[in-house]
Amino acid sequence: MAVIRERFLLLNNPRELVPTRQDLLQGLREAEAAICTLTETIDGDVLAAAPQLKILANCAVGYNNIDIRSARARGVVVTNTPDVLTDTTADLTWTLILAVARRVVEGDAMVRSSQWSGWAPTQLLGADVAGQTLGIIGMGRIGQAVAARAAGFNMPVLYHSRTPLRSMPPNTHWTARPLRELLAESDFVCLHAPLSPETRHLIGREEFRLMKPTSFLINTARGPIVDEEALVEALREGSLAGAGLDVYEREPAVHPGLLSLKQVVLLPHLGSATLRTRVRMGMICVENIEAVLAGRPAPHRVN
Ligand code: NAP
Ligand code: GLV
């Protein structure tokens, strides 16, 4: 914010609140550049209310919140913040894998509640992670960073992605699989594809039926990739063992069925939430805005 205040005339001070639609429509009226986050839906009407806008710098790598076609039609450059958040989000994915498999949240609650009476042979038994099969859907930057970490756990990696990988890091053996086979063979299924018309509800009733009853679903990508109603049903029926979620179908609302399930670990969309990474994401937004306002190409243009 210090850099922004120094280099630009700031029209609207950001707040830790999701702006209302009215805030957006009014707030962008005179703006030549805007930084938005994934919680703001920037559709054709919002863009129409921003006639001076030259660049919309999304402070996120995913940009499903923006109507890219309308932006292009209006000559508004849209940018995102790739790479700097890859490791941070991959780390959080592993946090969820380990937390859900080893019942970390339940254990913490037991100790805090003073209900813990000491070590016991069958207390809070979880699932092994090392040596199990990791399935990754969407083998891009974050998917590959998650896969790379699996080497330390001696886990075979299966992946399903839109475009086959052209190369892999040395000494890695990631195996491409059709989606159905990946779901049937994996012990941990991690989602890392962007939200698009093709990936909305990619994982629903039929897909949960294919998964092993001992397997776990981890979603740090976008909530609507999973049919949350079907996920709750599958968890209740025992078609899968648990889920680790950072994102939700109707954020910030969470399906009430998830809240009562102990085999689920729920985080409030924290994928990139470290101080260093958020500063780097902010600085990428500034870099892109400076480039466009100076008539140069934006380094992270998505449209
Ligand atoms: P990326 O490098 O673009 O990777 C996405 C991968 O998904 C690409 O390999 C892409 O294939 C593949 N893909 C696209 N459509 C697919 C489909 N229909 N089926 C299977 N695979 C498909 O993006 P990234 O930087 O890894 O980020 C991935 C997503 O993570 C973002 O879009 C964002 O929504 C989410 N994210 C969440 C958090 C969080 O806070 N929880 C933080 C960062 C990112 P192609 O090569 O063909 O495009
Ligand atoms: C966060 O969800 C992002 O897409 O950066």
Side-chain angles (χ1 to χ4, degrees):
M1 287 314 298
V3 172
I4 289 172
R5 286 203 179 90
E6 190 187 293
R7 300 190 198 167
F8 304 96
L9 171 64
L10 188 61
L11 294 178
N12 284 285
N13 281 305
R15 289 171 292 162
E16 287 281 317
L17 290 173
V18 178
T20 63
R21 193 159 172 84
Q22 206 47 34
D23 288 341
L24 275 181
L25 292 170
Q26 281 181 359
L28 293 178
R29 254 188 339 215
E30 291 165 38
E32 286 175 282
I35 296 178
C36 61
T37 75
L38 55 92
T39 57
E40 281 98 66
T41 301
I42 310 287
D43 57 20
D45 290 344
V46 173
L47 289 162
Q52 316 288 333
L53 200 64
K54 297 188 176 72
I55 167 163
L56 198 49
N58 204 36
C59 197
V61 68
Y63 48 87
N64 53 284
N65 54 310
I66 299 172
D67 180 342
I68 295 292
R69 258 206 223 159
S70 292
R72 193 174 25 219
R74 293 186 169 275
V76 176
V77 173
V78 178
T79 63
N80 69 346
T81 60
D83 302 316
V84 293
L85 47 58
T86 297
D87 282 326
T88 307
T89 309
D91 289 348
L92 191 92
T93 304
W94 274 92
T95 305
L96 282 171
I97 292 175
L98 292 165
V100 76
R102 298 305 303 275
R103 306 178 67 174
V104 168
V105 176
E106 286 177 83
D108 181 88
M110 180 187 274
V111 175
R112 286 175 200 274
S113 70
S114 311
Q115 298 297 307
W116 185 46
S117 52
W119 188 93
T122 61
Q123 191 173 72
L124 287 184
L125 299 182
D128 273 323
V129 175
Q132 304 298 294
T133 300
L134 180 66
I136 296 186
I137 299 175
M139 199 60 154
R141 290 170 290 240
I142 298 169
Q144 291 184 44
V146 169
R149 284 155 174 72
F153 289 83
N154 290 324
M155 294 171 82
V157 174
L158 307 179
Y159 74 90
H160 168 77
S161 212
R162 186 171 59 181
T163 314
L165 289 184
R166 267 194 249 126
S167 64
M168 280 181 225
N171 304 318
T172 48
H173 302 284
W174 301 333
T175 311
R177 280 275 194 281
L179 180 60
R180 293 171 69 86
E181 288 177 27
L182 179 146
L183 292 168
E185 291 175 39
S186 302
D187 298 297
F188 294 88
V189 173
C190 297
L191 306 182
H192 297 294
L195 176 61
S196 66
E198 294 77 45
T199 61
R200 187 173 290 274
H201 282 197
L202 183 70
I203 307 296
R205 270 184 196 91
E206 202 194 324
E207 288 69 30
F208 289 125
R209 265 183 228 121
L210 294 170
M211 289 175 70
K212 300 183 199 181
T214 50
S215 67
F216 296 89
L217 177 78
I218 311 294
N219 189 4
T220 61
R222 282 290 182 269
I225 297 176
V226 176
D227 177 347
E228 229 165 63
E229 187 70 40
L231 172 63
V232 170
E233 266 173 43
L235 287 163
R236 283 189 182 141
E237 287 166 4
S239 339
L240 73 162
L245 306 175
D246 187 41
V247 290
Y248 304 90
E249 203 173 341
R250 280 170 277 273
E251 268 176 49
V254 177
H255 191 297
L258 290 170
L259 299 174
S260 56
L261 293 173
K262 285 195 171 161
Q263 67 274 44
V264 175
V265 175
L266 305 171
L267 295 180
H269 207 143
L270 293 181
S272 64
T274 66
L275 181 58
R276 177 168 167 266
T277 292
R278 286 286 164 83
V279 169
R280 293 172 86 189
M281 289 163 68
M283 290 309 296
I284 285 187
C285 294
V286 170
E287 223 181 286
N288 281 299
I289 289 174
E290 285 191 319
V292 170
L293 295 187
R296 288 183 274 114
H300 304 95
R301 183 172 186 157
V302 297
N303 64 339

